[in-house]
Amino acid sequence: VEEGDREQLIALMEPLHPADIADLLEQIEPGDRRRFVALYGREFDGDILSELDETIREEMIGLLSPQVLAEAVRDLDSDDVVDLLEDLDPEQRDAILGALGASDRAAVQQSLTYPEYSAGRLMQREVVMAPEHWTVGEAIDYLRASDDLPEQFYHIFLVDPKLRPVGKVALGKLMGSSRAVALRTIASDDFRIIPVLQDEGDVAYAFNQYHLISAPVVDETERLVGVITIDDAMAVLEEENEEDILRLAGVSEEASLSDTVLETLRGRATWLFVNLLTAIFASFVISLFSDTIDSMVALAVLMPIVASMGGNAGTQTMTVAVRSIATRDLTGSNALRIVRREIVVGALNGALFGFIMALVAGVWFGVPMLAVVIGSAMLLTQIAAAFGGIAIPLILERLKIDPALASGPFVTTVTDVVGFFAFLGLAAAVLL
Amino acid sequence: VEEGDREQLIALMEPLHPADIADLLEQIEPGDRRRFVALYGREFDGDILSELDETIREEMIGLLSPQVLAEAVRDLDSDDVVDLLEDLDPEQRDAILGALGASDRAAVQQSLTYPEYSAGRLMQREVVMAPEHWTVGEAIDYLRASDDLPEQFYHIFLVDPKLRPVGKVALGKLMGSSRAVALRTIASDDFRIIPVLQDEGDVAYAFNQYHLISAPVVDETERLVGVITIDDAMAVLEEENEEDILRLAGVSEEASLSDTVLETLRGRATWLFVNLLTAIFASFVISLFSDTIDSMVALAVLMPIVASMGGNAGTQTMTVAVRSIATRDLTGSNALRIVRREIVVGALNGALFGFIMALVAGVWFGVPMLAVVIGSAMLLTQIAAAFGGIAIPLILERLKIDPALASGPFVTTVTDVVGFFAFLGLAAAVLL
């Protein structure tokens, strides 16, 4: 790119998968991206756009000439076009829609009417279907005759006269059966229908849980309107996991490496601000015991240990709880048992590390009662951390608040406040 | 189950997917599981075993009678049997192997010779292949004639006379072409071969990156020995994500809700112990400034805020870094740019929250120099947190240590030590 050698660039890109080209574009500097587009020109493939990060994608769409853009999107499946359009401003959106053929445009516009994160946005409209009374031979002849089959498909959906899906036939099964066999008799017994308004997270869960490869999507009147395939579900699952990880760490779930400084700052500052408030609250608890600390400075030295151990134990339990809720392993029916187990584990951890810390403090400062105080405080804090770590996500889930997003501040507040209060309070009562 | 009504249990389970039955088994008490098995008896399906958590799975295998077990595993694909055997003790393993037919047994034993977490363990041996010179018609006739096709398959792999894969034909393409067409001409242009020793994480990455549905696995002599399908890759991806999340929170990556108290304790205590050491180290830093704290107790009240904000900012940056390394978005070529961006973001966050905290401290304690000290300390700590948060995972990755597992303690140590040292050190220098 540096040298402006168009031929060589095209030759270099030729063997690469669009996903790799997209990764490459994400990693180079904006200036290089501009030169890349200018050089690469008409070779630019729609699939590269699909693979790009949102931020970079918008930038690229701005850089591409309208003709190249039109060319690029024309070959995409409808779900990829929808995915592309979702995040664009209206002007760019219209430009791309204008580039599509009339029937594709109608399909895409229809998909855009479904709510974001619904099955309707995820599905592709290109469906291969057959009347339920057909035979294998009829299906094969039909497939041979039709010239715009989707690029990839794995099942033929059987529909009744009202276009409601009633079964699906795996292509492998179809190929292995003789022409006279009725499609109905070789339909998969594992058949799940997805309503067009279902949340994409639930769709991904169903694919993962039931090992689906493709599933029919139906509208409110139960008519077949599209198909979702496992690769789309895999992408959603990956996205949701990413979201959970980032949210647990207090980072905006839309964070990406190609964000600008300002976007990154915004994504982090909210959480840090919430944390500042809880930290100030914890400091306020400490300030209640200023006199106690004043008369024994060792308390100031040791108190962060109690809070830090509590915070870590709380985060452990909370992370397990949040994940188990997300994977639906933690439900109403086993919640009580798991809460009990966590509290037992917390108590044991508290006893173990309380004992160790009591020894350390005793040897360090030579005050036996200080050892007793820190040991007991750690036990209490660990139990509180365990209880808070599992109860808070469960309560948030019950209140329909995303536990991954909101549990952190609450759990930290509980462990900090209990930690400082138990340690300094016991010290005030026992030592002075 | 409670009432011991066998008929009713079978009727209730009938419409459920094996994955749902497995979830149900995981959620009930061990005593109920025993009764379930006794009642359900011969209906027990091998797929249920595949879907179970390891701990529960071992328990169930112990409960099932040898005949039921033999019956259950006979219908499984070879990759599922391998998955099942991996975690069993030798005695149970032999019992299951004994139940298999001779050729299946040989296939499974062969797979078990590949290292754990390799493509060889993940693949299934049932492959549909065709000589590269065949036509569509020949392939269809062959498929119709063979009576043990895999349950699900999506591609036919073309092989040369030495059984080396040279291409794959999507079934959809096959169906849409007339009988005379040569298979070679309709082969997918997107064809990736997986070596049998490749790490399963790399396999999952390839499936996700290139939207593969199935891919051929070859041995050292490049002969086709198996096939990996997207649902296996999806399971690996899900597992690796889970591992990352748990490791980031300092929980053993094999943690599951069905663990006993002791297993849970073991999975958590290691990390808590490491954290205890770093916390004691941080306390030691504080103890260096005992005299300073003694002369101004406000320092003890405020110091946890500096450390806590640093810890959180460090965790944010670290989480983004660890994930970006895992998804291969953060590489050698853009590392420097990202490190620079993180430091700028850290400095801006430090300036912002340092300023807020300076105001709060100034109003709270009425000592202007204390406000200056805490503001500057927060600025320094935020920059250190940003730098540590990204540099530590990158360095660990370079040293071939899993950043998700080991970054936490290092980052916390850096933020705690820098936080306390900066705050108390500045206070000692300026205020006294």
Side-chain angles (χ1 to χ4, degrees):
Chain A
V1 174
E2 290 285 289
E3 294 161 19
D5 184 341
R6 180 177 144 82
E7 296 301 317
Q8 206 193 330
L9 177 69
I10 293 175
L12 274 174
M13 292 299 123
E14 174 68 37
L16 291 185
H17 190 279
D20 290 328
I21 301 183
D23 281 351
L24 191 96
L25 284 172
E26 285 170 11
Q27 293 192 7
I28 61 180
E29 305 267 355
D32 285 337
R33 276 200 285 276
R34 211 164 314 129
R35 279 194 292 275
F36 180 98
V37 169
L39 270 179
Y40 203 46
R42 303 197 65 86
E43 303 289 321
F44 205 89
D45 196 64
D47 286 323
I48 304 179
L49 283 181
S50 297
E51 303 284 351
L52 281 171
D53 247 8
E54 275 173 39
T55 330
I56 307 282
R57 193 195 283 168
E58 272 184 57
E59 182 190 323
M60 295 302 285
I61 290 179
L63 289 175
L64 291 170
S65 69
Q67 301 97 298
V68 174
L69 194 58
E71 192 73 43
V73 296
R74 207 164 292 152
D75 294 330
L76 290 177
D77 277 338
S78 61
D79 55 338
D80 292 329
V81 179
V82 171
D83 184 44
L84 215 66
L85 290 179
E86 272 175 355
D87 314 302
L88 294 181
D89 53 50
E91 212 170 297
Q92 290 184 315
R93 199 183 267 212
D94 290 341
I96 291 188
L97 279 174
L100 295 173
S103 74
D104 283 346
R105 182 163 52 232
V108 167
Q109 277 170 327
Q110 168 72 28
S111 287
L112 283 172
T113 63
Y114 298 117
E116 237 186 317
Y117 309 118
S118 70
R121 288 283 182 104
L122 207 59
M123 71 185 183
Q124 63 185 56
R125 324 264 320 177
E126 296 85 357
V127 195
V128 180
M129 47 179 135
E132 50 180 331
H133 56 78
W134 272 15
T135 63
V136 169
E138 284 173 298
I140 294 183
D141 292 342
Y142 162 74
L143 290 176
R144 289 222 179 104
S146 56
D147 56 355
D148 64 337
L149 292 176
E151 240 179 273
Q152 302 238 17
F153 68 104
Y154 318 101
H155 291 98
I156 296 182
F157 295 105
L158 304 182
V159 290
D160 69 9
K162 285 188 169 151
L163 282 184
R164 289 181 302 214
V166 294
K168 65 178 182 187
V169 174
L171 291 187
K173 262 280 181 0
L174 189 69
M175 315 259 5
S177 311
S178 55
R179 291 185 61 92
V181 170
L183 289 182
R184 206 177 305 156
T185 59
I186 54 168
S188 311
D189 47 356
D190 190 24
F191 177 59
R192 270 157 212 282
I193 294 175
I194 293 174
V196 74
L197 294 177
Q198 190 168 65
D199 176 73
E200 62 173 17
D202 295 332
V203 174
Y205 172 80
F207 270 82
N208 197 23
Q209 172 85 343
Y210 304 118
H211 310 291
L212 303 176
I213 296 297
S214 62
V217 181
V218 297
D219 65 11
E220 296 82 354
T221 62
E222 291 177 18
R223 270 188 45 214
L224 180 63
V225 289
V227 57
I228 293 177
T229 49
I230 186 172
D231 51 323
D232 301 319
M234 196 165 169
V236 171
L237 201 68
E238 183 72 356
E239 227 168 78
E240 301 231 318
N241 277 324
E242 198 66 26
E243 261 181 38
D244 263 14
I245 298 181
L246 294 177
R247 283 181 173 171
L248 277 171
V251 181
S252 152
E253 70 275 14
E254 277 158 24
S256 102
L257 277 193
S258 42
D259 286 352
T260 62
V261 166
L262 213 70
E263 288 167 324
T264 311
L265 192 66
R266 215 170 19 214
R268 311 264 174 98
T270 319
W271 167 269
L272 286 179
F273 186 70
V274 174
N275 183 61
L276 184 66
L277 295 183
T278 76
I280 291 177
F281 182 53
S283 286
F284 174 72
V285 172
I286 300 175
S287 75
L288 297 178
F289 298 96
S290 291
D291 295 344
T292 320
I293 296 173
D294 221 4
S295 60
M296 191 184 219
V297 77
L299 296 176
V301 173
L302 292 176
M303 70 184 186
I305 298 181
V306 180
S308 152
M309 291 295 283
N312 272 282
T315 305
Q316 288 183 332
T317 306
M318 175 188 88
T319 304
V320 171
V322 166
R323 284 309 295 170
S324 304
I325 291 173
T327 57
R328 308 192 194 183
D329 288 330
L330 181 57
T331 61
S333 63
N334 62 353
L336 208 69
R337 203 168 77 242
I338 304 293
V339 170
R340 229 172 349 178
R341 190 194 67 182
E342 286 298 329
I343 292 179
V344 173
V345 170
L348 290 173
N349 267 330
L352 175 66
F353 291 106
F355 181 71
I356 297 177
M357 203 47 227
L359 286 183
V360 172
V363 171
W364 190 351
F365 294 98
V367 183
M369 277 319 279
L370 183 63
V372 174
V373 165
I374 197 168
S376 321
M378 282 192 70
L379 177 61
L380 288 175
T381 312
Q382 291 290 313
I383 295 175
F387 181 70
I390 185 131
I392 289 169
L394 280 171
I395 292 169
L396 289 173
E397 164 76 5
R398 195 63 59 90
L399 299 175
K400 311 249 174 256
I401 302 170
D402 179 9
L405 189 62
S407 295
F410 287 108
V411 172
T412 317
T413 308
V414 167
T415 56
D416 275 1
V417 169
V418 172
F420 290 132
F421 212 93
F423 181 54
L424 297 174
L426 278 174
V430 173
L431 290 170
L432 302 179
Chain B
V1 174
E2 290 283 291
E3 295 159 18
D5 184 343
R6 183 177 142 81
E7 296 303 316
Q8 206 192 329
L9 178 69
I10 293 175
L12 274 173
M13 292 299 121
E14 175 66 38
L16 290 185
H17 190 280
D20 289 329
I21 301 184
D23 282 352
L24 191 94
L25 284 172
E26 285 170 11
Q27 293 193 4
I28 62 180
E29 306 266 355
D32 286 336
R33 276 200 285 276
R34 212 165 312 128
R35 280 195 291 276
F36 180 97
V37 169
L39 271 179
Y40 203 47
R42 303 197 65 87
E43 302 290 320
F44 205 89
D45 196 66
D47 287 323
I48 304 179
L49 283 181
S50 298
E51 303 283 352
L52 282 171
D53 247 8
E54 275 172 39
T55 330
I56 308 282
R57 194 194 284 168
E58 273 184 55
E59 182 190 322
M60 294 303 284
I61 290 178
L63 289 175
L64 291 170
S65 70
Q67 301 97 297
V68 175
L69 194 58
E71 192 74 42
V73 296
R74 207 165 290 150
D75 295 330
L76 290 177
D77 277 338
S78 61
D79 55 337
D80 292 328
V81 179
V82 170
D83 183 44
L84 215 65
L85 291 179
E86 271 175 354
D87 314 302
L88 295 182
D89 52 52
E91 212 170 297
Q92 290 184 315
R93 199 183 267 210
D94 289 342
I96 291 186
L97 279 174
L100 296 173
S103 74
D104 283 346
R105 182 162 54 232
V108 168
Q109 277 170 327
Q110 167 72 29
S111 287
L112 283 171
T113 63
Y114 298 118
E116 237 185 318
Y117 310 117
S118 70
R121 288 283 181 104
L122 207 59
M123 70 185 183
Q124 64 184 56
R125 324 260 324 174
E126 297 85 357
V127 195
V128 181
M129 46 179 136
E132 50 180 333
H133 55 79
W134 273 14
T135 63
V136 169
E138 284 174 298
I140 293 182
D141 292 341
Y142 161 75
L143 290 176
R144 289 220 179 107
S146 57
D147 56 356
D148 64 338
L149 291 176
E151 241 179 272
Q152 302 238 19
F153 67 104
Y154 317 102
H155 291 97
I156 296 182
F157 295 105
L158 304 182
V159 291
D160 70 9
K162 286 187 169 150
L163 284 182
R164 288 181 302 213
V166 294
K168 65 178 183 186
V169 175
L171 290 187
K173 262 280 179 3
L174 190 69
M175 315 261 0
S177 311
S178 55
R179 290 183 63 91
V181 170
L183 290 181
R184 207 177 306 156
T185 59
I186 54 170
S188 312
D189 47 355
D190 189 24
F191 177 58
R192 269 156 213 282
I193 294 175
I194 294 174
V196 75
L197 293 178
Q198 190 167 67
D199 177 72
E200 60 172 19
D202 295 333
V203 174
Y205 172 78
F207 270 82
N208 196 23
Q209 172 86 342
Y210 305 117
H211 310 291
L212 302 177
I213 297 296
S214 62
V217 181
V218 297
D219 65 11
E220 296 80 352
T221 64
E222 292 178 14
R223 271 187 44 214
L224 180 63
V225 289
V227 57
I228 293 177
T229 49
I230 186 174
D231 51 323
D232 301 318
M234 196 167 170
V236 172
L237 201 69
E238 182 72 356
E239 228 168 77
E240 300 230 319
N241 278 323
E242 198 68 25
E243 260 181 39
D244 263 14
I245 297 181
L246 294 177
R247 283 180 172 172
L248 277 171
V251 181
S252 152
E253 69 275 14
E254 277 158 25
S256 101
L257 276 194
S258 42
D259 285 353
T260 62
V261 166
L262 213 71
E263 287 167 326
T264 311
L265 192 66
R266 214 167 23 211
R268 312 264 173 97
T270 320
W271 168 269
L272 287 178
F273 186 70
V274 174
N275 182 62
L276 184 66
L277 295 183
T278 75
I280 291 177
F281 182 53
S283 285
F284 174 72
V285 172
I286 300 175
S287 75
L288 297 178
F289 298 97
S290 290
D291 295 343
T292 320
I293 294 173
D294 222 4
S295 61
M296 191 184 219
V297 77
L299 296 176
V301 172
L302 292 176
M303 70 184 183
I305 298 181
V306 180
S308 153
M309 290 297 283
N312 272 282
T315 305
Q316 287 183 332
T317 306
M318 175 188 89
T319 304
V320 171
V322 166
R323 284 308 296 171
S324 305
I325 291 173
T327 57
R328 308 190 194 185
D329 288 329
L330 180 57
T331 61
S333 63
N334 62 353
L336 209 68
R337 202 169 76 241
I338 304 294
V339 170
R340 228 172 353 182
R341 190 195 67 181
E342 287 298 330
I343 292 178
V344 173
V345 170
L348 290 173
N349 267 329
L352 174 65
F353 291 106
F355 181 71
I356 297 177
M357 203 47 228
L359 287 182
V360 172
V363 171
W364 190 351
F365 294 97
V367 183
M369 277 319 277
L370 183 63
V372 174
V373 165
I374 197 167
S376 322
M378 283 191 70
L379 177 59
L380 288 176
T381 312
Q382 290 290 314
I383 295 175
F387 181 69
I390 186 131
I392 290 170
L394 280 170
I395 292 169
L396 289 173
E397 164 76 5
R398 194 63 59 90
L399 299 175
K400 309 250 175 254
I401 300 170
D402 178 9
L405 189 62
S407 295
F410 288 107
V411 172
T412 317
T413 309
V414 167
T415 56
D416 275 1
V417 169
V418 172
F420 290 132
F421 212 94
F423 181 55
L424 297 175
L426 278 174
V430 173
L431 289 171
L432 302 178

